[in-house]
Amino acid sequence: MRGSPVDEALAGQLKKKKKKKSLGILCESFIKQFLTWRSTISLEQAARRISDDHIDESKLKTKVRRLYDIANVLAALNLIEKTSLDTRKPAFKWVGEQGLQVFIGEMEHYFKENNTSGGETNQLKNIQVGSFDFQTAEYHATTKPKVAKPAQRLNSGST
């Protein structure tokens, strides 16, 4: 049984609104700020540029908190690094692909130091969830390969 055309239209609008607010879209917008605007940005600056012009302060603070979570993940991957501007609030500087290569090297070193089989390193290199074109600041989704979880690998006897 289908709903009325009005119900379906409202459901479609709600779905679009939720997609617009997703962490993936926010992350992509945050990265675009580094690539198209400035190489060092505070979270508040990024939140204001990403948001509508008439955003209220409570929603802005929520967006800043979400950007902080995203920034921590990007910093862990060495894509950005924490720095400061003239304010006491933290800012982040774009490092880019070079930083990501450093992260992969660190992971390879970790696996070698901990006497792992190397299968995990190959999985890191071969996983391709999507690609971000750093020249055009566009994200291109690809199919996500099936990678066994560690517990599944242990139970199956494979590495």
Side-chain angles (χ1 to χ4, degrees):
M1 182 176 183
R2 295 183 68 178
S4 72
V6 172
D7 290 339
E8 288 179 17
L10 290 174
Q13 288 174 348
L14 182 62
K15 189 174 180 180
K16 284 181 185 176
K17 187 174 182 179
K18 282 189 175 194
K19 184 173 181 176
K20 226 170 102 173
K21 290 184 166 190
S22 76
L23 279 175
I25 300 295
L26 187 59
C27 182
E28 185 177 330
S29 297
F30 185 48
I31 291 172
K32 282 182 181 179
Q33 296 305 307
F34 289 108
L35 300 174
T36 61
W37 185 47
R38 291 185 179 167
S39 62
T40 303
I41 306 171
S42 75
L43 297 176
E44 188 171 334
Q45 288 172 334
R48 287 190 187 280
R49 283 189 56 94
I50 292 169
S51 302
D52 297 330
D53 291 334
H54 51 276
I55 188 169
D56 65 49
E57 286 300 311
S58 66
K59 287 185 179 182
L60 183 70
K61 286 181 181 180
T62 300
K63 191 161 279 191
V64 168
R65 284 193 302 272
R66 293 179 80 201
L67 285 173
Y68 193 74
D69 293 339
I70 291 168
N72 283 328
V73 172
L74 296 176
L77 293 171
N78 288 344
L79 284 170
I80 61 174
E81 61 186 23
K82 198 172 190 178
T83 186
S84 62
L85 295 172
D86 294 334
T87 66
R88 63 180 182 86
K89 295 182 180 181
F92 292 87
K93 181 180 179 188
W94 180 250
V95 178
E97 290 179 87
Q98 300 88 352
L100 188 57
Q101 293 303 320
V102 169
F103 171 76
I104 291 171
E106 289 171 353
M107 293 303 296
E108 288 173 341
H109 179 73
Y110 170 81
F111 288 130
K112 285 178 187 174
E113 288 284 315
N114 290 290
N115 297 322
T116 59
S117 65
E120 293 88 348
T121 305
N122 290 334
Q123 284 183 344
L124 280 175
K125 289 180 180 176
N126 295 331
I127 291 176
Q128 203 177 30
V129 177
S131 63
F132 193 87
D133 184 342
F134 291 97
Q135 300 300 320
T136 62
E138 291 181 4
Y139 177 78
H140 305 285
T142 60
T143 57
K144 186 175 179 180
K146 296 285 183 184
V147 176
K149 293 181 181 176
Q152 292 172 329
R153 288 197 308 269
L154 290 174
N155 293 334
S156 69
S158 64
T159 57

